[in-house]
Amino acid sequence: QQQVKQSPQSLIVQKGGIPIINCAYENTAFDYFPWYQQFPGKGPALLIAIRPDVSEKKEGRFTISFNKSAKQFSLHIMDSQPGDSATYFCAASWNSNYQLIWGAGTKLIIKP
Amino acid sequence: ETGVTQSPTHLIKTRGQQVTLRCSSQSGHNTVSWYQQALGQGPQFIFQYYREEENGRGNFPPRFSGLQFPNYSSELNVNALELDDSALYLCASSLGGGLEQFFGPGTRLTVL
């Protein structure tokens, strides 16, 4: 019940396309859902996060869609660029806690 | 504003040895969390320190221990190293045990 399941494991998209990465969870107590971007040899960097009281949040080219009833959330990257090639992680936590539960990651490659 | 820094960058130890990893939190942050990231996986929460006290612990044995100092920097100590301890160890800082966590570049530990 503590797991966050992320898919796909890897994704290849042409430049300008819209990669979509999906995550699903079971624990209905989760109320904070961040996405992190990690480049090789670097620590994860917070991209965008959402709370379950909204269904969508946009920050620049990154959009989170959230479906509370399905217990799913996804990351969309608009106008993707080769520089977006990285591993993306979804995570979840709950307000009374500090512990992030992470998905397994998606390795994204944007082809020029 | 100084980001999260970690030392050393890389470390090679042999089974049974002990290791100490160090982390300096981002300026103004009083909370440090430690994560273990095995190759190709998402990070796993080890523990968090808030104002020099352990503020929660993940599913790691007691041979994983930590400290936080008055300047909010932190150490992760691992005793009796095992081969499976080989991983990237990430430190993240936040304010007041908050959910928005900012990560350092990590320490790559190899146990032979």
mmCIF file of all heavy atoms in Angstrom, chain A residues 32 36 38 41-44 46 51 89 93 97-100 102-104, chain B residues 35 37 40-43 45 48 55-56 88 90 99-101 103-105:
data_model
loop_
_atom_site.group_PDB
_atom_site.id
_atom_site.type_symbol
_atom_site.label_atom_id
_atom_site.label_comp_id
_atom_site.label_asym_id
_atom_site.label_seq_id
_atom_site.Cartn_x
_atom_site.Cartn_y
_atom_site.Cartn_z
ATOM 1 N N TYR A 32 0.561 14.695 -1.268
ATOM 2 C CA TYR A 32 1.594 15.536 -1.872
ATOM 3 C C TYR A 32 2.302 14.681 -2.907
ATOM 4 O O TYR A 32 2.781 13.583 -2.584
ATOM 5 C CB TYR A 32 2.569 16.035 -0.795
ATOM 6 C CG TYR A 32 3.763 16.796 -1.320
ATOM 7 C CD1 TYR A 32 3.638 18.094 -1.804
ATOM 8 C CD2 TYR A 32 5.032 16.223 -1.316
ATOM 9 C CE1 TYR A 32 4.740 18.795 -2.274
ATOM 10 C CE2 TYR A 32 6.134 16.912 -1.785
ATOM 11 C CZ TYR A 32 5.988 18.196 -2.263
ATOM 12 O OH TYR A 32 7.076 18.891 -2.718
ATOM 13 N N TYR A 36 10.433 14.603 -9.768
ATOM 14 C CA TYR A 36 11.831 14.974 -9.744
ATOM 15 C C TYR A 36 12.491 14.577 -11.062
ATOM 16 O O TYR A 36 12.137 13.584 -11.681
ATOM 17 C CB TYR A 36 12.561 14.286 -8.587
ATOM 18 C CG TYR A 36 12.329 14.926 -7.236
ATOM 19 C CD1 TYR A 36 11.195 14.635 -6.489
ATOM 20 C CD2 TYR A 36 13.256 15.822 -6.717
ATOM 21 C CE1 TYR A 36 10.997 15.223 -5.251
ATOM 22 C CE2 TYR A 36 13.066 16.413 -5.476
ATOM 23 C CZ TYR A 36 11.931 16.104 -4.757
ATOM 24 O OH TYR A 36 11.735 16.693 -3.525
ATOM 25 N N GLN A 38 16.306 13.782 -12.705
ATOM 26 C CA GLN A 38 17.673 13.442 -12.305
ATOM 27 C C GLN A 38 18.532 13.202 -13.536
ATOM 28 O O GLN A 38 18.224 12.341 -14.362
ATOM 29 C CB GLN A 38 17.691 12.206 -11.397
ATOM 30 C CG GLN A 38 19.066 11.896 -10.823
ATOM 31 C CD GLN A 38 19.044 10.748 -9.823
ATOM 32 O OE1 GLN A 38 18.211 9.852 -9.907
ATOM 33 N NE2 GLN A 38 19.964 10.770 -8.858
ATOM 34 N N GLY A 41 24.782 11.245 -12.550
ATOM 35 C CA GLY A 41 25.786 11.792 -11.653
ATOM 36 C C GLY A 41 25.306 12.944 -10.794
ATOM 37 O O GLY A 41 26.108 13.550 -10.062
ATOM 38 N N LYS A 42 24.029 13.252 -10.855
ATOM 39 C CA LYS A 42 23.471 14.367 -10.078
ATOM 40 C C LYS A 42 22.375 13.869 -9.146
ATOM 41 O O LYS A 42 21.804 12.793 -9.342
ATOM 42 C CB LYS A 42 22.873 15.429 -11.010
ATOM 43 C CG LYS A 42 23.845 15.968 -12.043
ATOM 44 C CD LYS A 42 24.895 16.850 -11.414
ATOM 45 C CE LYS A 42 25.775 17.504 -12.476
ATOM 46 N NZ LYS A 42 26.849 18.317 -11.881
ATOM 47 N N GLY A 43 22.064 14.692 -8.144
ATOM 48 C CA GLY A 43 20.927 14.374 -7.295
ATOM 49 C C GLY A 43 19.626 14.780 -7.975
ATOM 50 O O GLY A 43 19.623 15.572 -8.911
ATOM 51 N N PRO A 44 18.502 14.234 -7.515
ATOM 52 C CA PRO A 44 17.209 14.615 -8.095
ATOM 53 C C PRO A 44 16.916 16.092 -7.840
ATOM 54 O O PRO A 44 17.269 16.639 -6.790
ATOM 55 C CB PRO A 44 16.215 13.737 -7.326
ATOM 56 C CG PRO A 44 17.024 12.648 -6.721
ATOM 57 C CD PRO A 44 18.372 13.228 -6.466
ATOM 58 N N LEU A 46 13.731 18.917 -7.841
ATOM 59 C CA LEU A 46 12.279 19.066 -7.841
ATOM 60 C C LEU A 46 11.828 19.861 -9.053
ATOM 61 O O LEU A 46 12.298 20.963 -9.313
ATOM 62 C CB LEU A 46 11.838 19.774 -6.557
ATOM 63 C CG LEU A 46 10.345 20.035 -6.405
ATOM 64 C CD1 LEU A 46 9.573 18.720 -6.324
ATOM 65 C CD2 LEU A 46 10.072 20.887 -5.170
ATOM 66 N N ARG A 51 -1.004 18.966 -5.129
ATOM 67 C CA ARG A 51 -1.822 18.470 -4.032
ATOM 68 C C ARG A 51 -3.115 17.927 -4.630
ATOM 69 O O ARG A 51 -3.540 18.365 -5.703
ATOM 70 C CB ARG A 51 -2.152 19.611 -3.064
ATOM 71 C CG ARG A 51 -0.940 20.202 -2.375
ATOM 72 C CD ARG A 51 -0.585 19.426 -1.162
ATOM 73 N NE ARG A 51 0.439 20.099 -0.358
ATOM 74 C CZ ARG A 51 0.844 19.649 0.812
ATOM 75 N NH1 ARG A 51 0.331 18.541 1.319
ATOM 76 N NH2 ARG A 51 1.772 20.296 1.481
ATOM 77 N N PHE A 89 11.345 10.854 -11.826
ATOM 78 C CA PHE A 89 10.770 10.085 -10.720
ATOM 79 C C PHE A 89 9.505 10.777 -10.222
ATOM 80 O O PHE A 89 9.511 11.997 -9.983
ATOM 81 C CB PHE A 89 11.737 9.986 -9.540
ATOM 82 C CG PHE A 89 12.960 9.152 -9.801
ATOM 83 C CD1 PHE A 89 14.131 9.739 -10.233
ATOM 84 C CD2 PHE A 89 12.921 7.776 -9.603
ATOM 85 C CE1 PHE A 89 15.275 8.968 -10.462
ATOM 86 C CE2 PHE A 89 14.054 6.996 -9.823
ATOM 87 C CZ PHE A 89 15.226 7.596 -10.254
ATOM 88 N N SER A 93 3.793 11.588 -0.699
ATOM 89 C CA SER A 93 3.946 11.677 0.746
ATOM 90 C C SER A 93 2.632 12.150 1.340
ATOM 91 O O SER A 93 1.673 12.413 0.618
ATOM 92 C CB SER A 93 5.083 12.640 1.095
ATOM 93 O OG SER A 93 5.351 12.588 2.477
ATOM 94 N N ASN A 97 3.706 13.513 7.477
ATOM 95 C CA ASN A 97 4.949 12.755 7.354
ATOM 96 C C ASN A 97 5.955 13.540 6.534
ATOM 97 O O ASN A 97 5.652 14.575 5.981
ATOM 98 C CB ASN A 97 4.648 11.404 6.695
ATOM 99 C CG ASN A 97 5.656 10.344 7.033
ATOM 100 O OD1 ASN A 97 6.848 10.578 6.962
ATOM 101 N ND2 ASN A 97 5.186 9.177 7.409
ATOM 102 N N TYR A 98 7.106 13.051 6.459
ATOM 103 C CA TYR A 98 8.235 13.709 5.802
ATOM 104 C C TYR A 98 8.847 12.778 4.759
ATOM 105 O O TYR A 98 9.667 13.138 3.987
ATOM 106 C CB TYR A 98 9.321 14.011 6.860
ATOM 107 C CG TYR A 98 9.294 12.942 7.909
ATOM 108 C CD1 TYR A 98 9.844 11.694 7.655
ATOM 109 C CD2 TYR A 98 8.600 13.129 9.088
ATOM 110 C CE1 TYR A 98 9.727 10.669 8.565
ATOM 111 C CE2 TYR A 98 8.497 12.101 10.010
ATOM 112 C CZ TYR A 98 9.053 10.884 9.758
ATOM 113 O OH TYR A 98 8.913 9.872 10.674
ATOM 114 N N GLN A 99 8.415 11.531 4.801
ATOM 115 C CA GLN A 99 9.062 10.493 4.019
ATOM 116 C C GLN A 99 8.482 10.457 2.610
ATOM 117 O O GLN A 99 7.274 10.274 2.446
ATOM 118 C CB GLN A 99 8.842 9.154 4.694
ATOM 119 C CG GLN A 99 9.446 7.969 3.960
ATOM 120 C CD GLN A 99 9.207 6.674 4.714
ATOM 121 O OE1 GLN A 99 8.763 6.701 5.856
ATOM 122 N NE2 GLN A 99 9.470 5.559 4.090
ATOM 123 N N LEU A 100 9.314 10.649 1.615
ATOM 124 C CA LEU A 100 8.881 10.527 0.231
ATOM 125 C C LEU A 100 8.954 9.063 -0.190
ATOM 126 O O LEU A 100 9.956 8.395 0.018
ATOM 127 C CB LEU A 100 9.770 11.371 -0.682
ATOM 128 C CG LEU A 100 9.593 12.884 -0.620
ATOM 129 C CD1 LEU A 100 10.665 13.585 -1.446
ATOM 130 C CD2 LEU A 100 8.209 13.295 -1.094
ATOM 131 N N TRP A 102 8.988 6.781 -3.459
ATOM 132 C CA TRP A 102 9.365 7.064 -4.835
ATOM 133 C C TRP A 102 8.934 5.960 -5.798
ATOM 134 O O TRP A 102 8.917 4.775 -5.447
ATOM 135 C CB TRP A 102 10.891 7.203 -4.937
ATOM 136 C CG TRP A 102 11.456 8.344 -4.169
ATOM 137 C CD1 TRP A 102 11.535 8.464 -2.810
ATOM 138 C CD2 TRP A 102 12.047 9.531 -4.708
ATOM 139 N NE1 TRP A 102 12.137 9.662 -2.470
ATOM 140 C CE2 TRP A 102 12.465 10.329 -3.606
ATOM 141 C CE3 TRP A 102 12.277 10.006 -5.994
ATOM 142 C CZ2 TRP A 102 13.084 11.564 -3.778
ATOM 143 C CZ3 TRP A 102 12.906 11.230 -6.159
ATOM 144 C CH2 TRP A 102 13.296 11.996 -5.056
ATOM 145 N N GLY A 103 8.637 6.367 -7.028
ATOM 146 C CA GLY A 103 8.492 5.413 -8.109
ATOM 147 C C GLY A 103 9.869 4.926 -8.552
ATOM 148 O O GLY A 103 10.896 5.426 -8.086
ATOM 149 N N ALA A 104 9.879 3.981 -9.448
ATOM 150 C CA ALA A 104 11.137 3.347 -9.886
ATOM 151 C C ALA A 104 11.877 4.172 -10.924
ATOM 152 O O ALA A 104 13.027 3.865 -11.239
ATOM 153 C CB ALA A 104 10.853 1.950 -10.417
ATOM 154 N N TYR B 35 18.794 9.479 1.878
ATOM 155 C CA TYR B 35 18.196 8.453 1.032
ATOM 156 C C TYR B 35 19.297 7.566 0.454
ATOM 157 O O TYR B 35 20.413 8.032 0.186
ATOM 158 C CB TYR B 35 17.424 9.081 -0.133
ATOM 159 C CG TYR B 35 16.179 9.839 0.266
ATOM 160 C CD1 TYR B 35 16.249 11.145 0.718
ATOM 161 C CD2 TYR B 35 14.920 9.237 0.172
ATOM 162 C CE1 TYR B 35 15.107 11.835 1.082
ATOM 163 C CE2 TYR B 35 13.774 9.924 0.524
ATOM 164 C CZ TYR B 35 13.883 11.221 0.983
ATOM 165 O OH TYR B 35 12.742 11.900 1.333
ATOM 166 N N GLN B 37 20.002 5.282 -2.918
ATOM 167 C CA GLN B 37 19.498 5.005 -4.264
ATOM 168 C C GLN B 37 20.366 3.934 -4.915
ATOM 169 O O GLN B 37 21.506 4.200 -5.328
ATOM 170 C CB GLN B 37 19.486 6.276 -5.122
ATOM 171 C CG GLN B 37 18.838 6.068 -6.481
ATOM 172 C CD GLN B 37 18.761 7.335 -7.319
ATOM 173 O OE1 GLN B 37 19.491 8.292 -7.102
ATOM 174 N NE2 GLN B 37 17.854 7.356 -8.292
ATOM 175 N N GLY B 40 19.594 2.164 -10.836
ATOM 176 C CA GLY B 40 18.388 1.900 -11.610
ATOM 177 C C GLY B 40 17.102 1.916 -10.805
ATOM 178 O O GLY B 40 16.053 1.504 -11.305
ATOM 179 N N GLN B 41 17.161 2.392 -9.565
ATOM 180 C CA GLN B 41 15.964 2.415 -8.713
ATOM 181 C C GLN B 41 15.710 3.811 -8.169
ATOM 182 O O GLN B 41 16.556 4.696 -8.254
ATOM 183 C CB GLN B 41 16.143 1.436 -7.550
ATOM 184 C CG GLN B 41 16.276 -0.015 -7.983
ATOM 185 C CD GLN B 41 16.379 -0.949 -6.802
ATOM 186 O OE1 GLN B 41 15.931 -0.634 -5.698
ATOM 187 N NE2 GLN B 41 16.964 -2.105 -7.025
ATOM 188 N N GLY B 42 14.530 3.987 -7.610
ATOM 189 C CA GLY B 42 14.217 5.227 -6.932
ATOM 190 C C GLY B 42 14.866 5.269 -5.565
ATOM 191 O O GLY B 42 15.211 4.231 -4.997
ATOM 192 N N PRO B 43 15.043 6.452 -4.997
ATOM 193 C CA PRO B 43 15.630 6.568 -3.660
ATOM 194 C C PRO B 43 14.745 5.915 -2.592
ATOM 195 O O PRO B 43 13.523 5.893 -2.714
ATOM 196 C CB PRO B 43 15.711 8.087 -3.451
ATOM 197 C CG PRO B 43 15.717 8.676 -4.834
ATOM 198 C CD PRO B 43 14.844 7.766 -5.635
ATOM 199 N N PHE B 45 14.075 6.079 1.562
ATOM 200 C CA PHE B 45 14.273 6.942 2.732
ATOM 201 C C PHE B 45 14.983 6.183 3.842
ATOM 202 O O PHE B 45 14.560 5.093 4.221
ATOM 203 C CB PHE B 45 12.902 7.429 3.210
ATOM 204 C CG PHE B 45 12.908 8.244 4.470
ATOM 205 C CD1 PHE B 45 13.300 9.569 4.441
ATOM 206 C CD2 PHE B 45 12.492 7.692 5.668
ATOM 207 C CE1 PHE B 45 13.281 10.333 5.594
ATOM 208 C CE2 PHE B 45 12.463 8.440 6.829
ATOM 209 C CZ PHE B 45 12.859 9.761 6.794
ATOM 210 N N GLN B 48 15.513 11.065 8.813
ATOM 211 C CA GLN B 48 15.505 12.514 8.743
ATOM 212 C C GLN B 48 15.946 13.083 10.094
ATOM 213 O O GLN B 48 15.618 12.531 11.146
ATOM 214 C CB GLN B 48 14.107 13.033 8.411
ATOM 215 C CG GLN B 48 14.037 14.552 8.245
ATOM 216 C CD GLN B 48 12.623 15.067 8.039
ATOM 217 O OE1 GLN B 48 11.866 15.234 8.989
ATOM 218 N NE2 GLN B 48 12.274 15.319 6.786
ATOM 219 N N ASN B 55 14.043 12.463 13.313
ATOM 220 C CA ASN B 55 12.633 12.832 13.166
ATOM 221 C C ASN B 55 11.871 11.782 12.358
ATOM 222 O O ASN B 55 10.828 12.062 11.805
ATOM 223 C CB ASN B 55 12.545 14.189 12.471
ATOM 224 C CG ASN B 55 11.145 14.743 12.463
ATOM 225 O OD1 ASN B 55 10.405 14.624 13.434
ATOM 226 N ND2 ASN B 55 10.751 15.347 11.350
ATOM 227 N N GLY B 56 12.405 10.596 12.276
ATOM 228 C CA GLY B 56 11.737 9.543 11.533
ATOM 229 C C GLY B 56 12.765 8.689 10.836
ATOM 230 O O GLY B 56 13.859 9.145 10.501
ATOM 231 N N LEU B 88 24.147 5.010 -4.360
ATOM 232 C CA LEU B 88 24.310 6.462 -4.284
ATOM 233 C C LEU B 88 23.564 6.929 -3.037
ATOM 234 O O LEU B 88 22.373 6.633 -2.877
ATOM 235 C CB LEU B 88 23.728 7.116 -5.530
ATOM 236 C CG LEU B 88 23.834 8.650 -5.623
ATOM 237 C CD1 LEU B 88 25.286 9.096 -5.784
ATOM 238 C CD2 LEU B 88 22.991 9.171 -6.790
ATOM 239 N N LEU B 90 22.076 9.938 -1.002
ATOM 240 C CA LEU B 90 21.613 11.301 -1.247
ATOM 241 C C LEU B 90 21.198 11.971 0.048
ATOM 242 O O LEU B 90 20.558 11.354 0.905
ATOM 243 C CB LEU B 90 20.408 11.273 -2.202
ATOM 244 C CG LEU B 90 20.680 10.775 -3.613
ATOM 245 C CD1 LEU B 90 19.377 10.417 -4.304
ATOM 246 C CD2 LEU B 90 21.427 11.826 -4.415
ATOM 247 N N LEU B 99 7.965 19.184 3.142
ATOM 248 C CA LEU B 99 7.937 18.197 2.080
ATOM 249 C C LEU B 99 8.808 18.591 0.899
ATOM 250 O O LEU B 99 9.285 17.722 0.182
ATOM 251 C CB LEU B 99 6.498 17.991 1.619
ATOM 252 C CG LEU B 99 5.585 17.342 2.655
ATOM 253 C CD1 LEU B 99 4.138 17.427 2.213
ATOM 254 C CD2 LEU B 99 5.970 15.897 2.884
ATOM 255 N N GLU B 100 9.005 19.882 0.675
ATOM 256 C CA GLU B 100 9.803 20.316 -0.470
ATOM 257 C C GLU B 100 11.270 20.127 -0.116
ATOM 258 O O GLU B 100 11.840 20.887 0.680
ATOM 259 C CB GLU B 100 9.502 21.775 -0.802
ATOM 260 C CG GLU B 100 10.064 22.197 -2.137
ATOM 261 C CD GLU B 100 9.478 23.521 -2.618
ATOM 262 O OE1 GLU B 100 8.402 23.911 -2.129
ATOM 263 O OE2 GLU B 100 10.121 24.151 -3.470
ATOM 264 N N GLN B 101 11.855 19.107 -0.710
ATOM 265 C CA GLN B 101 13.211 18.713 -0.370
ATOM 266 C C GLN B 101 14.149 18.992 -1.523
ATOM 267 O O GLN B 101 13.833 18.717 -2.682
ATOM 268 C CB GLN B 101 13.255 17.229 0.003
ATOM 269 C CG GLN B 101 12.371 16.905 1.206
ATOM 270 C CD GLN B 101 12.430 15.464 1.633
ATOM 271 O OE1 GLN B 101 13.370 14.745 1.316
ATOM 272 N NE2 GLN B 101 11.427 15.031 2.362
ATOM 273 N N PHE B 103 17.937 18.310 -3.069
ATOM 274 C CA PHE B 103 18.934 17.259 -2.978
ATOM 275 C C PHE B 103 20.332 17.728 -3.338
ATOM 276 O O PHE B 103 20.513 18.598 -4.203
ATOM 277 C CB PHE B 103 18.562 16.098 -3.909
ATOM 278 C CG PHE B 103 17.449 15.247 -3.374
ATOM 279 C CD1 PHE B 103 16.133 15.654 -3.486
ATOM 280 C CD2 PHE B 103 17.717 14.041 -2.735
ATOM 281 C CE1 PHE B 103 15.096 14.877 -2.979
ATOM 282 C CE2 PHE B 103 16.700 13.259 -2.233
ATOM 283 C CZ PHE B 103 15.396 13.682 -2.357
ATOM 284 N N GLY B 104 21.314 17.108 -2.684
ATOM 285 C CA GLY B 104 22.702 17.248 -3.064
ATOM 286 C C GLY B 104 23.042 16.293 -4.199
ATOM 287 O O GLY B 104 22.198 15.500 -4.625
ATOM 288 N N PRO B 105 24.283 16.327 -4.668
ATOM 289 C CA PRO B 105 24.683 15.483 -5.794
ATOM 290 C C PRO B 105 24.901 14.025 -5.428
ATOM 291 O O PRO B 105 24.985 13.163 -6.306
ATOM 292 C CB PRO B 105 25.991 16.123 -6.262
ATOM 293 C CG PRO B 105 26.527 16.789 -5.039
ATOM 294 C CD PRO B 105 25.341 17.253 -4.264
#
